[in-house]
Amino acid sequence: MVLLMLPVQPFMDQAHAETGKVTISVSTLNVRTGPGLSFAVLTKVHRGEEYKIVETQKDWYKVETSSGDGWVADWLVTVEESVSSDSPLHEGQVNTDGLRVRKGPSTSDVVVTVLQNGDTVTVTEEDGDWLQIESGSTTGWVHREYITGSKSSQGKQSLHKQGIITDDALNVRSSPSLQSSVLGVLNKGDEVEVTGSVSGWYEIMFGDEIAWVSDSYVEFSTGSLQRETNRSEEESSSTGEMIGIISVHGLNVRDETSLNGRIVGKVSKGEKYTLLKEKNNWYQIKLSNGEKGWIAGWYVQKTVTAAAHEKNSPNENVTILYNGTNIRSEANTQASVVKRAASGETYQVMSKDGDWYEVELADGSAGFVAGWVVSVRSAAGENTTPSRKKTGGLEDKVIVIDPGHGGRDSGTTGASGTLEKLLTMKTGELLAEKLKSAGAKVKLTRKTDEYLSLPSRVSLSHYNQADAFISIHFDSIMDSSITGHTTYYYQNQQKELAEEIHGSLSDRLPTSDRGVRIGDYHVIRENNRLAVLLELGFLSNPSEEANVNTQYFQDLAATAIYHGLSDYFSE
């Protein structure tokens, strides 16, 4: 899926003139009437075609086409760089560990060597999104996103300022490109040390790592002073400690950085731990019993916390949703239970720690309750959590099914030409029939191949007072070896629904499990009902594309989503 994320910007960025040419990097690319995914499509262009740049604006290039001037996203094109024929393009630096250097410019070519983060290379040639590099006596090809200095990192300006993140679930990336790997996330209010900038991006310190975030979501205090470059270690670490969020159920904690290590404990999905050390993509954490151990880094989402607690409004209350809800001594599911609360009980919020609320108990002591088992009320008594009718199964539940894309918005195009918009419609129709047979009241955001804006889809969810909103998509990525299904949520109250549906998908689908993740997508971000977004497979992988096109897979996926919803709405 490629055309879903709609960051909201309060004003239009200033454009400036530009020279040069862009080469289209994807099979089919929409040229839009303005610099954003919400603008109408002017025309379509294709891989390998070249167009003259008229001007640039943030992450967009305005180019000349036979249909007139229009805008293309910079992460889907390559920019021609003028280089003398008798000298290399430039120096670059590897920004990831285990980078495979290939004999030719594709993932099907054989690997000639492996480079590590920080290795310096010389770029000698370009071929679309691939760079030919020299490292020592070895020459080979790598994708440009893994070489800092290959494109957007050139012309970096040095900064030394404290910034504040202005949005939740902001991806932290390894290089200044939307195609680079995600190192972790930051949330609204987090403080970061900004050390540099390029067009559209800020370089930051993410723990001990250099990383990049979009400059649209960072602001500086007008009263803040620039930091001295030789500040003390205490000052430089004041931006917070590195936190790991567990992304799978029942992750083993081991006594060494190996799957052969002795198991010393288990941690659960959603729990947060301070990352004490990192070694070979393993992280050391401290369990509630005081024992330390190691967890596999590929099951950890990293973030940074600026403080242990986030203070809330003194008049904010939480109401317990279920009888026997545990109130614990600390903000994790392994902490001791200090009280069992009954449904309907209300507590004053003292502070917030991640997904947990610190509340004041009757005797004046404090305890922690998980955000997914309470509703939150403001000082005015407004309920900020959607009502949850988890009884009676699917009978009379209002389920809004959102088949992604449609009409002029085809979504992603598969390796063999599959259009995402048609595949999501098939899955949505099958799911609708299954839900109707169980007594649910089903609404489809679209019933034909028609274009529907993202705000309109959310409005349908609100208008119908949906008990659940399910947005269906299929994924795509430049690396055609990637496969699997992913479930996204954005708000805390959406998390439990996402986990139920994803668990059912993982139990039934033959595709690999990519986990439940926070996703900054409009249809779930702006939705005040319980909403999730499903990516059911990668059309960019030829084998998976063929698989998801079968009637067998479509029915299996619809059945899995049906059972996930049924489980969620049953006691």
Side-chain angles (χ1 to χ4, degrees), residues 334-382:
Q334 291 185 327
S336 59
V337 176
V338 297
K339 177 179 171 60
R340 296 189 189 277
S343 175
E345 290 182 0
T346 299
Y347 295 90
Q348 175 84 41
V349 175
M350 300 169 63
S351 67
K352 188 177 179 183
D353 186 358
D355 292 332
W356 293 74
Y357 291 97
E358 183 182 25
V359 298
E360 183 178 0
L361 303 180
D363 60 2
S365 63
F368 291 87
V369 62
W372 54 88
V373 293
V374 299
S375 65
V376 185
R377 291 184 179 272
S378 65
E382 179 184 357

Side-chain angles (χ1 to χ4, degrees), residues 208-344:
D208 295 329
E209 297 180 79
I210 294 176
W212 296 84
V213 293
S214 169
D215 65 6
S216 299
Y217 305 107
V218 182
E219 65 179 26
F220 301 102
S221 170
T222 55
S224 66
L225 299 175
Q226 288 193 354
R227 293 199 165 200
E228 298 294 330
T229 57
N230 61 347
R231 63 196 177 284
S232 69
E233 181 179 347
E234 286 185 356
E235 288 176 312
S236 65
S237 63
S238 65
T239 55
E241 58 187 6
M242 187 66 70
I243 298 296
I245 305 172
I246 309 303
S247 62
V248 293
H249 291 292
L251 178 62
N252 290 325
V253 183
R254 300 181 182 273
D255 66 349
E256 60 180 78
T257 59
S258 166
L259 293 174
N260 296 322
R262 180 175 58 88
I263 297 173
V264 297
K266 280 185 179 291
V267 292
S268 299
K269 180 182 285 189
E271 293 179 359
K272 298 181 180 181
Y273 294 90
T274 299
L275 303 180
L276 305 176
K277 295 180 182 178
E278 180 178 0
K279 184 178 180 182
N280 299 329
N281 203 22
W282 287 72
Y283 296 106
Q284 187 185 57
I285 63 171
K286 185 177 181 180
L287 299 174
S288 58
N289 61 6
E291 188 169 0
K292 295 179 181 179
W294 296 86
I295 53 176
W298 50 94
Y299 295 125
V300 179
Q301 182 185 61
K302 293 191 293 183
T303 187
V304 172
T305 181
H309 299 290
E310 173 187 329
K311 294 299 178 183
N312 287 292
S313 164
N315 294 322
E316 194 172 41
N317 297 322
V318 295
T319 301
I320 305 299
L321 295 174
Y322 309 109
N323 283 324
T325 292
N326 292 324
I327 298 179
R328 299 181 181 272
S329 59
E330 297 179 13
N332 66 74
T333 56
Q334 291 185 327
S336 59
V337 176
V338 297
K339 177 179 171 60
R340 296 189 189 277
S343 175

Side-chain angles (χ1 to χ4, degrees), residues 292-482:
K292 295 179 181 179
W294 296 86
I295 53 176
W298 50 94
Y299 295 125
V300 179
Q301 182 185 61
K302 293 191 293 183
T303 187
V304 172
T305 181
H309 299 290
E310 173 187 329
K311 294 299 178 183
N312 287 292
S313 164
N315 294 322
E316 194 172 41
N317 297 322
V318 295
T319 301
I320 305 299
L321 295 174
Y322 309 109
N323 283 324
T325 292
N326 292 324
I327 298 179
R328 299 181 181 272
S329 59
E330 297 179 13
N332 66 74
T333 56
Q334 291 185 327
S336 59
V337 176
V338 297
K339 177 179 171 60
R340 296 189 189 277
S343 175
E345 290 182 0
T346 299
Y347 295 90
Q348 175 84 41
V349 175
M350 300 169 63
S351 67
K352 188 177 179 183
D353 186 358
D355 292 332
W356 293 74
Y357 291 97
E358 183 182 25
V359 298
E360 183 178 0
L361 303 180
D363 60 2
S365 63
F368 291 87
V369 62
W372 54 88
V373 293
V374 299
S375 65
V376 185
R377 291 184 179 272
S378 65
E382 179 184 357
N383 193 343
T384 60
T385 305
S387 59
R388 305 171 63 179
K389 298 178 286 186
K390 289 188 61 177
T391 56
L394 289 168
E395 183 73 23
D396 293 328
K397 298 300 185 300
V398 178
I399 311 296
V400 175
I401 301 172
D402 176 38
H405 308 284
R408 66 175 185 261
D409 176 11
S410 297
T412 191
T413 302
S416 299
T418 300
L419 296 180
E420 182 185 3
K421 67 175 183 177
L422 302 180
L423 209 52
T424 60
M425 193 72 248
K426 290 178 183 178
T427 313
E429 289 171 342
L430 286 170
L431 174 60
E433 290 303 315
K434 294 178 186 297
L435 292 171
K436 288 176 183 176
S437 67
K441 298 175 180 178
V442 179
K443 306 290 182 181
L444 284 159
T445 59
R446 66 180 181 94
K447 297 180 181 179
T448 60
D449 182 16
E450 61 181 335
Y451 174 78
L452 189 67
S453 70
L454 301 181
S456 296
R457 297 169 194 259
V458 175
S459 294
L460 286 169
S461 176
H462 294 169
Y463 176 80
N464 289 287
Q465 295 186 315
D467 293 307
F469 176 96
I470 312 298
S471 192
I472 299 173
H473 292 267
F474 290 82
D475 224 334
S476 178
I477 197 170
M478 296 187 72
D479 185 348
S480 61
S481 66
I482 301 298

Side-chain angles (χ1 to χ4, degrees), residues 59-255:
D59 298 329
W60 292 79
Y61 291 109
K62 189 176 186 179
V63 298
E64 292 181 356
T65 75
S66 59
S67 302
D69 292 352
W71 295 83
V72 294
D74 74 347
W75 59 94
L76 300 175
V77 301
T78 56
V79 181
E80 180 182 289
E81 299 178 17
S82 58
V83 188
S84 60
S85 59
D86 57 351
S87 64
L89 292 180
H90 50 263
E91 297 295 314
Q93 191 173 58
V94 177
N95 58 37
T96 186
D97 280 325
L99 175 62
R100 288 171 286 188
V101 181
R102 298 183 180 273
K103 189 174 182 180
S106 79
T107 55
S108 60
D109 287 291
V110 298
V111 176
V112 295
T113 189
V114 176
L115 300 176
Q116 301 301 323
N117 196 347
D119 288 349
T120 300
V121 299
T122 301
V123 179
T124 58
E125 189 178 335
E126 296 188 12
D127 184 353
D129 288 330
W130 289 79
L131 303 176
Q132 186 180 58
I133 62 165
E134 291 181 355
S135 177
S137 59
T138 302
T139 298
W141 293 83
V142 296
H143 196 279
R144 71 166 61 248
E145 71 176 274
Y146 302 117
I147 303 297
T148 300
S150 65
K151 182 182 173 183
S152 55
S153 62
Q154 293 180 356
K156 188 186 84 173
Q157 298 181 8
S158 294
L159 293 173
H160 292 284
K161 292 184 178 181
Q162 284 298 106
I164 299 174
I165 303 301
T166 62
D167 201 8
D168 282 325
L170 176 64
N171 284 334
V172 180
R173 297 185 179 272
S174 59
S175 64
S177 165
L178 290 174
Q179 294 171 325
S180 62
S181 57
V182 176
L183 301 177
V185 295
L186 291 169
N187 291 297
K188 188 173 183 178
D190 287 345
E191 294 185 1
V192 293
E193 178 188 351
V194 178
T195 56
S197 70
V198 298
S199 176
W201 297 85
Y202 282 132
E203 181 187 67
I204 66 168
M205 293 305 299
F206 189 61
D208 295 329
E209 297 180 79
I210 294 176
W212 296 84
V213 293
S214 169
D215 65 6
S216 299
Y217 305 107
V218 182
E219 65 179 26
F220 301 102
S221 170
T222 55
S224 66
L225 299 175
Q226 288 193 354
R227 293 199 165 200
E228 298 294 330
T229 57
N230 61 347
R231 63 196 177 284
S232 69
E233 181 179 347
E234 286 185 356
E235 288 176 312
S236 65
S237 63
S238 65
T239 55
E241 58 187 6
M242 187 66 70
I243 298 296
I245 305 172
I246 309 303
S247 62
V248 293
H249 291 292
L251 178 62
N252 290 325
V253 183
R254 300 181 182 273
D255 66 349

